[in-house]
């Protein structure tokens, strides 16, 4: 692809983009359509944007498709989202396999409809990690606080079994960042570099709190169904101008 940089050559070190897919409801309301029509258009846009991501050599994207708080929405809207996800995981599967898109899903999947759970299992198994050009991490029934609690629970259980096996010094060793990260749903994805929030709200909404500790956050009023290739270029250009110091000082100081 002309102009595309290989990841290894990317000067901006942009490896992981996270997007909050916000604004579908407003997009639909503006047109006198139902909110579900807005989610449908949001899903179409994701199809289009996945193609574009492939050309950019960005290896990881995370997409906030359904939060742990979204259960508060009307049942019809929620079941519309499951339908779209089922459709995506089934109908786009071959395309993902052919194009090297690995489907990963992060979140508490046990509460999802059985059909969606099996569509996810098949999609992530068939789109192998090894030759992936792009990992698309769908965050579904995802919330960062839930994720961190889940990770802490797993670590506690591991420590208990170490203790029971008489490995006392391992059982009481302090938990470090690497260990906690490895228990997050998103593991082994790297930290988020750029978080994009279409729809104009300046909130993180319980999305990838741990992983975005040093992410640059780009907010745009453009609604997700209208967030196209040009808008993504704009966000990346903005990101490239940021001076990421990670708590240190800039090179020019
Ligand atoms: C937020 O917009 C969006 C959601 C809660 C759902 C996002 C889901 C999709 C894009 C479809 C899922 C399917 C695939 C294939 C990813 P909102 O409803 O809060 O919009 P509003 O703020 O304008 O009301």
């Amino acid at each position: 692809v002309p102009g595309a940089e290989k990841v290894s050559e990317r000067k901006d070190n942009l490896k992981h983009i996270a997007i909050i897919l916000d604004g579908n409801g407003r997009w639909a309301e503006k047109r006198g359509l139902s909110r579900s029509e807005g989610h449908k258009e949001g899903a179409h846009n994701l199809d289009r944007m996945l193609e574009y991501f492939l050309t950019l050599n960005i290896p990881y994207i995370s997409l906030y498709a359904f939060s742990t708080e979204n259960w508060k929405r009307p049942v019809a809207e929620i079941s519309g989202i499951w339908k779209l996800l089922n459709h995506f995981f089934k109908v786009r599967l071959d395309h993902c396999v052919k194009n090297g898109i690995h489907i990963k899903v992060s979140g508490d999947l046990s509460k999802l409809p059985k059909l969606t759970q099996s569509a996810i299992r098949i999609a992530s198994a068939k789109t192998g990690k090894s030759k992936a050009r792009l990992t698309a991490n769908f965050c579904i029934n995802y919330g960062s606080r839930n994720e961190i609690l889940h990770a802490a629970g797993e670590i506690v259980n591991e420590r208990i079994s170490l203790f029971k096996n008489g490995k006392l010094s391992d059982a009481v060793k302090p938990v470090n960042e690497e260990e906690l990260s490895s228990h997050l749903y998103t593991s082994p994805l790297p930290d988020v570099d750029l978080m994009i929030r279409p729809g104009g709200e300046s909130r993180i909404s319980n999305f990838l709190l741990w992983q975005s500790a040093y992410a640059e956050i780009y907010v745009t009023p453009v609604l997700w169904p209208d967030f196209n290739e040009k808008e993504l270029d704009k966000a990346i250009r903005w990101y490239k101008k940021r001076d990421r110091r990670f708590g240190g000082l800039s090179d020019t100081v």
Side-chain angles (χ1 to χ4, degrees), residues 46-47 84 137 144 152 191 231-232 239:
L46 183 65
D47 269 342
L84 289 169
N137 173 37
S144 272
D191 278 357
E231 297 298 333
L232 180 58
Y239 168 85

Side-chain angles (χ1 to χ4, degrees), residues 20-29 35-36 38-47 50 63-67 70 73 77 80-89 92 138-140 197-199 201 203 223-225:
I20 300 181
L21 306 173
D22 196 15
N24 299 337
R26 277 166 284 166
W27 184 93
E29 279 155 25
R35 296 181 56 81
S36 292
H39 295 318
K40 196 167 164 192
E41 194 55 33
H44 277 316
N45 192 41
L46 183 65
D47 269 342
L50 280 177
L63 308 154
Y64 208 1
F66 193 88
S67 75
N70 284 151
R73 296 194 176 205
E77 183 176 343
I81 294 176
W82 302 140
K83 262 195 201 145
L84 289 169
L85 287 165
N86 295 346
H87 183 263
F88 178 89
F89 291 133
R92 305 296 286 164
F138 288 81
C139 298
I140 304 176
R197 178 144 199 171
E201 311 283 0
R203 290 193 283 273
L223 305 175
W224 168 250

Side-chain angles (χ1 to χ4, degrees), residues 8-25:
S8 52
E9 295 162 9
R10 289 193 74 95
K11 288 189 265 331
D12 54 15
N13 208 18
L14 181 51
K15 291 201 189 81
H16 188 178
I17 295 183
I19 309 181
I20 300 181
L21 306 173
D22 196 15
N24 299 337

Side-chain angles (χ1 to χ4, degrees), residues 104 147-148 151 179-187 210-211:
K104 175 177 170 66
E147 178 186 42
I148 293 168
E179 184 179 11
L180 195 128
S181 295
S182 74
H183 285 272
L184 297 176
Y185 294 129
T186 56
S187 171
W210 175 282
Q211 300 87 335

Side-chain angles (χ1 to χ4, degrees), residues 65-102:
F66 193 88
S67 75
T68 45
E69 288 71 36
N70 284 151
W71 294 105
K72 296 176 199 152
R73 296 194 176 205
V75 175
E77 183 176 343
I78 296 175
S79 59
I81 294 176
W82 302 140
K83 262 195 201 145
L84 289 169
L85 287 165
N86 295 346
H87 183 263
F88 178 89
F89 291 133
K90 226 166 129 185
V91 171
R92 305 296 286 164
L93 186 54
D94 282 348
H95 177 83
C96 290
V97 172
K98 280 195 196 103
N99 288 284
I101 301 176
H102 168 57

